[in-house]
Amino acid sequence: MESLNPATEEVIETFDADDERSVEEKLQQAHETYEEWKQQPIEERQRLISKAGEVLRENKQKYAEIMTKEMGKPISSAVSEVEKCAWVCDYYAEHAGEFLQDERIGTEPGVESYISYEPLGPVLAVMPWNFPFWQVFRFAAPNLTAGNVGLLKHASNVPQCALAIQEVFEEAGYPEGAFTTLLVGSDTVEDVISDDRIAATTLTGSTGAGRSIGENAGKNLKNSVLELGGSDPFVVLPDADIEDAAQTGAQARCINNGQSCIAAKRFVVHDDVYDEFMEKFTEEMESMTIGDPMDEDTDIGPQAREDLMEGLHEQVEDSIEAGASLELGGEPLDREGAYYPPTILTDVPDESPAGEDEMFGPVASVFRVSDTEEAIERANKIRFGLGASIWTQDKTQAKEVAREIESGMVFVNELVKSDPRLPFGGVKDSGYGRELAHHGIHEFVNEKTMWVTDVSDTDEMVE
């Protein structure tokens, strides 16, 4: 299993994958640790997740450099990602006890009835390379604090990140087996899900991977959460602050080198402001600094792998061949590394990759619409439903349009982002279930109904 620097195309380090025996040992260790871990008081679990946040902050530069060297994320973004992981640890250290306390429900006199939130067991997390720390921690922080244990099958191109995350929990003082990395390929996942010791599974990844994981979890009657792809609309209405929309839109499209599920990908712009928006948006996209991801001034680094860049470019070429117009970029950069420039396509046909598929790189598809109703129709005219961004200064209109958008999240006059305080997830082909907030910590717990009759009261009534 190779750790390859996409900016230099150099092999950083090579790791031996876990063999069948090693996987078995790790599964058994997780199973045995769970039996003890679930008995730990919530206060102890909160203390440890708080400590994990401290470990992250103390080592943020080291972990950020691992991310940048392994998948090409600009170093400033990588540092911010580590800090965000510490934030989610802090959040559940503070709120997990509140979220998991018994929920009292009044039923009958002489009866104590309530919901008890209890852990399920070892949970398998299948995670992607694009936010290699954050997407793991937004799973791990709530679920370990709920009393589950975690096994991580990370993307094969970020083994150093996977092992570093395990190190965080070890340094924080978690017992062995509470969080374990499995260095395995995708072909092992089905067997792990099927194992009786695994209670549930979660995936962040492509729609295709989600269908496979969901099918395997379903046939084994195991709970699953799927956070899948997206092609988020960025809707610009006539009264929008165009300068702000254009600047934020470029950031929303190119963040993380354009490799984000919740990146703005389809720009739906009202005819009244289309020309003005395009002028400013193009300027903002052109101004992005492309370069060495270890340089603090770099906005866009390389794509995470050469083959991913080649696939993105093929989507652009196919879209142009189908009738789209190229306004900016559109060719891999002639330099060492998997670099692709900010790219803008207009006049995009519906039946083209830019019109119906997810473009996982800094490529923006721009659509002109004549009114708000057409903007809503265009925003919803796709199989994905992860997030959406709406730009207007009319708050009443913003709320009305937001309710019509088919997505799991809508942000008004802001780019779509994940926040520990808010539930995160999508609808349609963008998956199901929620991460973060109190919703996320409840995905992998047994919501047990408890009915306790006061026997002394019963006896008195009988007498």
Side-chain angles (χ1 to χ4, degrees), residues 392-406:
T392 173
Q393 297 184 64
D394 185 335
K395 189 174 181 179
T396 299
Q397 177 179 236
K399 290 182 177 181
E400 292 173 352
V401 173
R403 288 188 179 278
E404 295 297 321
I405 300 295
E406 298 168 355

Side-chain angles (χ1 to χ4, degrees), residues 118-175:
E118 301 174 5
L120 295 179
V123 181
L124 174 68
V126 182
M127 292 291 140
W129 47 262
N130 57 328
F131 289 92
F133 268 62
W134 169 241
Q135 285 165 321
V136 175
F137 272 90
R138 75 185 190 197
F139 149 75
N143 284 291
L144 267 61
T145 312
N148 298 308
V149 301
L151 294 108
L152 170 65
K153 187 283 177 211
H154 219 324
S156 297
N157 62 324
V158 289
Q160 286 193 104
C161 290
L163 293 171
I165 293 168
Q166 180 174 308
E167 174 189 281
V168 170
F169 291 107
E170 291 171 350
E171 291 291 324
Y174 279 78

Side-chain angles (χ1 to χ4, degrees), residues 72-372:
K73 182 189 302 290
I75 188 66
S76 57
S77 297
V79 170
S80 295
E81 181 168 335
V82 179
E83 292 172 341
K84 191 170 185 177
C85 292
W87 179 22
V88 79
C89 290
D90 294 345
Y91 179 79
Y92 285 104
E94 180 180 356
H95 295 289
E98 170 194 347
F99 295 157
L100 296 171
Q101 66 183 346
D102 293 345
E103 180 183 349
R104 303 290 167 173
I105 300 175
T107 51
E108 297 181 6
V111 169
E112 184 182 3
S113 47
Y114 57 96
I115 306 299
S116 174
Y117 296 102
E118 301 174 5
L120 295 179
V123 181
L124 174 68
V126 182
M127 292 291 140
W129 47 262
N130 57 328
F131 289 92
F133 268 62
W134 169 241
Q135 285 165 321
V136 175
F137 272 90
R138 75 185 190 197
F139 149 75
N143 284 291
L144 267 61
T145 312
N148 298 308
V149 301
L151 294 108
L152 170 65
K153 187 283 177 211
H154 219 324
S156 297
N157 62 324
V158 289
Q160 286 193 104
C161 290
L163 293 171
I165 293 168
Q166 180 174 308
E167 174 189 281
V168 170
F169 291 107
E170 291 171 350
E171 291 291 324
Y174 279 78
E176 183 180 3
F179 185 91
T180 307
T181 284
L182 301 175
L183 290 180
V184 296
S186 298
D187 55 349
T188 306
V189 171
E190 183 174 356
D191 289 340
V192 175
I193 294 174
S194 301
D195 192 285
D196 289 342
R197 290 164 292 191
I198 293 295
T201 187
T202 181
L203 165 83
T204 297
S206 68
T207 300
R211 292 185 189 281
S212 176
I213 294 291
E215 179 181 359
N216 290 331
K219 73 181 181 181
N220 286 285
L221 298 179
K222 296 180 180 180
N223 195 10
S224 61
V225 169
L226 304 179
E227 194 276 280
L228 309 180
S231 187
D232 287 6
F234 189 97
V235 180
V236 183
L237 298 177
D239 65 339
D241 181 330
I242 299 303
E243 186 170 346
D244 190 14
Q247 183 178 24
T248 305
Q251 178 189 359
R253 176 56 285 202
C254 295
I255 192 169
N256 200 45
N257 307 335
Q259 300 164 130
S260 171
C261 295
I262 53 172
K265 299 187 176 81
R266 294 177 300 125
F267 291 79
V268 181
V269 185
H270 195 285
D271 186 65
D272 290 354
V273 292
Y274 182 88
D275 292 338
E276 181 185 1
F277 176 82
M278 277 297 297
E279 179 181 356
K280 294 183 182 300
F281 181 58
T282 303
E283 290 174 0
E284 293 290 341
M285 293 284 277
E286 282 184 311
S287 71
M288 295 284 180
T289 300
I290 306 170
D292 181 356
M294 293 298 291
D295 188 333
E296 292 281 354
D297 295 327
T298 292
D299 296 314
I300 298 179
Q303 301 296 282
R305 296 197 313 261
E306 182 77 21
D307 64 306
L308 296 171
M309 184 197 71
E310 291 172 351
L312 177 66
H313 184 51
E314 184 177 339
Q315 286 181 303
V316 170
E317 290 185 312
D318 289 348
S319 297
I320 293 171
E321 185 177 341
S325 299
L326 179 65
E327 305 293 341
L328 180 71
E331 288 289 341
L333 298 184
D334 185 15
R335 59 178 293 172
E336 183 180 54
Y339 285 88
Y340 204 83
T343 296
I344 300 176
L345 299 173
T346 59
D347 305 317
V348 178
D350 289 339
E351 295 182 359
S352 69
E356 62 183 6
D357 296 330
E358 180 174 27
M359 305 287 277
F360 214 62
V363 179
S365 303
V366 185
F367 301 85
R368 184 195 295 258
V369 294
S370 59
D371 54 38
T372 301

Side-chain angles (χ1 to χ4, degrees), residues 115-120 442-449:
I115 306 299
S116 174
Y117 296 102
E118 301 174 5
L120 295 179
H442 285 167
E443 286 287 357
F444 295 132
V445 294
N446 176 16
E447 299 179 340
K448 183 186 292 184
T449 296

